[in-house]
Amino acid sequence: MIKMFGKKKTVEEQLRDQDRQMKRTQRELTRDRTKMEQEEKKLEMEIKKAAKQGNKQACNILAKQLVQMRKQKNRSYATSSTITSVGLKTKGMHANMKMANAMGKTAQTMGKVNKQMDPKRMAQIMQQFEQESTKMEMSEEMINDTMDSVLSEPGDEEEEDQIVSQVLSEIGVSMSGKLSGVNVPSHDVGESNREYDDIEAKLNALRAPAE
């Protein structure tokens, strides 16, 4: 006879089964407590009835049954509390297992990356990249200079001078054709010379006593 083995359940499936079983047990305990509460009320009524009749023996027997009933109900509450606590602990342990597994996988990935990463090789690659980048910039500059020299035409300098003169005139500055100096009117030069002579005379007057 061939035995058929079922597929092994995963941890998540086992937890779901356990959770369903715990909920089922809790419902059964709740039903039992409801019945015990009903029985408890009946016993209380019977005790009152026996007390009115003056039947002390019946009161004692019923009182003992009531005490046992209440103890059983308290044990039922304690059991429910324990089941709930176990369920919470189980879920907490499962969450910790998930985090541990995730951390383990991450550590493995980091280990693989570290094995593949050679610091010396990385430094060489970065240095090579920098060198090639510098070469590219130099090549681009040489190409641009060559293109400028090839594409430049006679008269470019004159056109550039005209543009410069136009810009300077727009901002109120008058320059010579080759930017040699500022064109200053003659009367302004004369005034500047006179001011300079006056300052020089005053300085000579201040130095005279000392000499």
Side-chain angles (χ1 to χ4, degrees):
M1 182 177 180
I2 301 174
K3 242 183 205 181
M4 301 296 294
F5 294 96
K7 184 180 178 182
K8 187 177 180 180
K9 291 185 177 181
T10 62
V11 177
E12 286 78 8
E13 291 173 340
Q14 293 177 5
L15 282 173
R16 284 195 293 269
D17 291 344
Q18 181 180 345
D19 190 55
R20 284 194 292 268
Q21 181 63 37
M22 286 183 174
K23 288 180 180 179
R24 190 181 301 113
T25 303
Q26 290 283 29
R27 288 194 296 269
E28 291 175 356
L29 289 172
T30 301
R31 285 196 295 267
D32 291 342
R33 283 195 298 272
T34 301
K35 291 178 181 179
M36 283 187 282
E37 288 172 356
Q38 293 173 353
E39 292 295 329
E40 184 178 358
K41 290 178 181 179
K42 289 181 181 180
L43 287 172
E44 289 173 353
M45 292 176 64
E46 290 180 6
I47 290 172
K48 290 178 181 178
K49 184 179 179 180
K52 287 180 181 180
Q53 295 175 354
N55 191 344
K56 185 177 180 181
Q57 185 177 1
C59 286
N60 290 335
I61 294 172
L62 293 171
K64 288 181 180 180
Q65 292 179 1
L66 181 61
V67 170
Q68 294 297 325
M69 184 70 66
R70 288 177 176 174
K71 285 183 178 180
Q72 184 64 28
K73 188 174 68 173
N74 290 335
R75 283 194 290 267
S76 176
Y77 278 116
T79 303
S80 295
S81 178
T82 301
I83 292 173
T84 302
S85 178
V86 170
L88 293 174
K89 288 180 179 178
T90 304
K91 291 178 180 178
M93 289 176 63
H94 181 57
N96 290 334
M97 285 173 58
K98 280 187 174 180
M99 288 189 291
N101 290 333
M103 292 173 67
K105 292 178 181 178
T106 304
Q108 291 177 0
T109 303
M110 292 172 65
K112 292 178 181 178
V113 172
N114 287 330
K115 287 181 180 179
Q116 295 177 0
M117 186 182 296
D118 184 359
K120 292 182 179 180
R121 176 60 179 162
M122 293 296 294
Q124 291 175 356
I125 292 173
M126 296 301 293
Q127 186 177 4
Q128 184 180 1
F129 174 82
E130 186 176 358
Q131 291 175 354
E132 295 300 329
S133 178
T134 304
K135 290 179 181 178
M136 183 178 293
E137 291 177 0
M138 294 175 63
S139 299
E140 183 180 5
E141 185 176 354
M142 291 174 63
I143 292 172
N144 290 336
D145 292 342
T146 304
M147 294 294 290
D148 290 341
S149 63
V150 171
L151 297 176
S152 62
E153 298 179 358
D156 285 349
E157 293 183 359
E158 295 179 1
E159 185 178 356
E160 291 172 2
D161 291 341
Q162 291 177 0
I163 294 172
V164 171
S165 299
Q166 181 181 355
V167 172
L168 292 176
S169 64
E170 289 176 357
I171 62 175
V173 179
S174 177
M175 306 291 287
S176 64
K178 293 185 179 180
L179 302 177
S180 58
V182 179
N183 291 329
V184 181
S186 59
H187 66 276
D188 291 338
V189 175
E191 290 179 0
S192 298
N193 291 335
R194 283 195 297 274
E195 290 177 359
Y196 178 78
D197 293 339
D198 292 340
I199 293 172
E200 187 176 7
K202 290 178 181 179
L203 290 174
N204 291 331
L206 289 173
R207 285 198 295 266
E211 293 174 354

